Amino acid sequence: MKLRLHFVVDPMGWLCISMVFGIWLYNTFFIPKLVLFPHYNEGHIPWAIVVCYYIASGLCLAALFRASTADPGRLPVDPKIPHSEREHWELCNKCNLMRPKRSHHCSRCGHCVRRMDHHCPWINNCVGEDNHWLFLQLCFYTQVLSLFTLVLDFCQYYYFQPLTGLDQEKFTTRHELALLRVSTLMGLMMFGGMSSLFYTQLAGILSDTTTIEKMAQFSNEIYGSKKSWQWALTEVCGTRWKLLWLIPLRSRQPIQASHNFRTHV
């Protein structure tokens, strides 16, 4: 499966994802400029903290790009239905195309998506079978970057030594009282919102229930026995290698069920 770009033509979605990118750009520019590099140059912090911040920022941006441009599992116009699976397919009453069960028609995108969880305007894309793992990564890395930013803002106010190479009064009035406080506010909002969303998404994956099914009050018992947390995440991420669950720049491969992962742990 190659990495194919998938774009949704939706002005409102473009506006939402531009806002998310703007928040990322704001913190990625001002935190190093006002906190990391000045304190590193004066020997207050090690170089590893600067590198770790940029790694977290890069992974967050990569997850955002991949989640917003990855095909969520769009069904083709003329799908090839295996004879043994015909009973698991149904006709969509909106686009009049055959689709597997647990698929849903997205009115915003105009097509059916396999195991669709929801349409997210903040990534301007549906969250479905093929990009759900990327959306989960985006929630996780946004939490990491937001928490990192909050810790640095806190240390700037209460822990780090004063910078000798700057005019402290000028720095306080022009930067700490404005730019860093805005960064702290955005960090709190992003960390709180993404923590709640990450928990909701993870709970849905582990219970094998999508957001649409929860809203429709469907039970996961309809679709088979419960799965272990390892197998549930393996199916979503498309690999048994747990380290690769955290890497956004790769493709997802469908995983066939195995006895070892079906049992509870």
Side-chain angles (χ1 to χ4, degrees):
M1 184 182 298
K2 297 181 179 180
L3 299 179
R4 296 176 298 177
L5 298 182
H6 172 82
F7 293 99
V8 177
V9 181
D10 182 10
M12 181 59 66
W14 292 342
L15 176 62
C16 291
I17 195 173
S18 297
M19 293 174 60
V20 174
F21 179 75
I23 293 174
W24 171 87
L25 187 63
Y26 183 97
N27 284 316
T28 303
F29 177 77
F30 283 113
I31 292 299
K33 179 178 177 60
L34 301 179
V35 180
L36 287 177
F37 289 136
H39 286 284
Y40 169 72
N41 291 333
E42 296 194 9
H44 298 164
I45 60 175
W47 62 268
I49 294 181
V50 180
V51 173
C52 288
Y53 188 84
Y54 274 106
I55 290 176
S57 179
L59 288 172
C60 184
L61 179 63
L64 174 63
F65 175 79
R66 291 281 288 118
S68 61
T69 60
D71 188 342
R74 178 177 179 175
L75 288 168
V77 177
D78 187 18
K80 296 181 180 179
I81 308 175
H83 183 74
S84 59
E85 298 181 7
R86 290 183 180 272
E87 61 180 9
H88 299 295
W89 285 62
E90 60 188 9
L91 182 67
C92 175
N93 57 7
K94 295 182 180 180
C95 59
N96 294 321
L97 296 176
M98 293 299 295
R99 66 185 187 187
K101 291 183 179 180
R102 306 192 73 182
S103 300
H104 187 77
H105 185 90
C106 178
S107 57
R108 187 69 64 87
C109 299
H111 53 74
C112 288
V113 177
R114 296 191 310 272
R115 200 182 181 279
M116 177 178 168
D117 187 84
H118 68 286
H119 182 91
C120 180
W122 299 107
I123 64 172
N124 192 31
N125 200 359
C126 286
V127 178
E129 184 177 86
D130 289 342
N131 73 336
H132 201 164
W133 63 285
L134 291 166
F135 186 74
L136 193 67
Q137 282 187 3
L138 175 61
C139 295
F140 175 74
Y141 286 125
T142 303
Q143 288 182 87
V144 173
L145 185 61
S146 300
L147 183 59
F148 208 157
T149 299
L150 288 172
V151 170
L152 290 173
D153 289 338
F154 176 83
C155 291
Q156 173 65 31
Y157 282 112
Y158 302 108
Y159 181 75
F160 287 151
Q161 300 177 17
L163 295 169
T164 59
L166 294 176
D167 185 342
Q168 289 300 311
E169 182 178 356
K170 181 179 178 181
F171 180 83
T172 300
T173 56
R174 291 191 177 182
H175 298 315
E176 283 190 344
L177 294 180
L179 301 177
L180 291 182
R181 289 191 177 184
V182 171
S183 174
T184 302
L185 178 61
M186 291 191 301
L188 287 172
M189 293 176 58
M190 294 298 291
F191 181 74
M194 283 301 176
S195 296
S196 176
L197 185 58
F198 179 77
Y199 171 80
T200 302
Q201 290 295 308
L202 190 61
I205 290 174
L206 297 182
S207 62
D208 195 20
T209 309
T210 66
T211 300
I212 293 176
E213 291 166 358
K214 289 179 181 178
M215 295 175 63
Q217 297 182 347
F218 285 173
S219 171
N220 64 323
E221 297 297 333
I222 298 176
Y223 306 107
S225 59
K226 294 182 179 179
K227 306 171 184 177
S228 69
W229 68 269
Q230 292 175 311
W231 175 242
L233 289 174
T234 296
E235 277 190 322
V236 170
C237 296
T239 178
R240 294 182 174 88
W241 295 94
K242 295 182 177 60
L243 182 61
L244 295 181
W245 293 355
L246 301 173
I247 306 299
L249 299 177
R250 64 175 179 86
S251 60
R252 176 187 178 275
Q253 298 292 339
I255 298 294
Q256 299 296 326
S258 66
H259 176 73
N260 293 333
F261 280 98
R262 288 189 180 213
T263 58
H264 286 285
V265 176

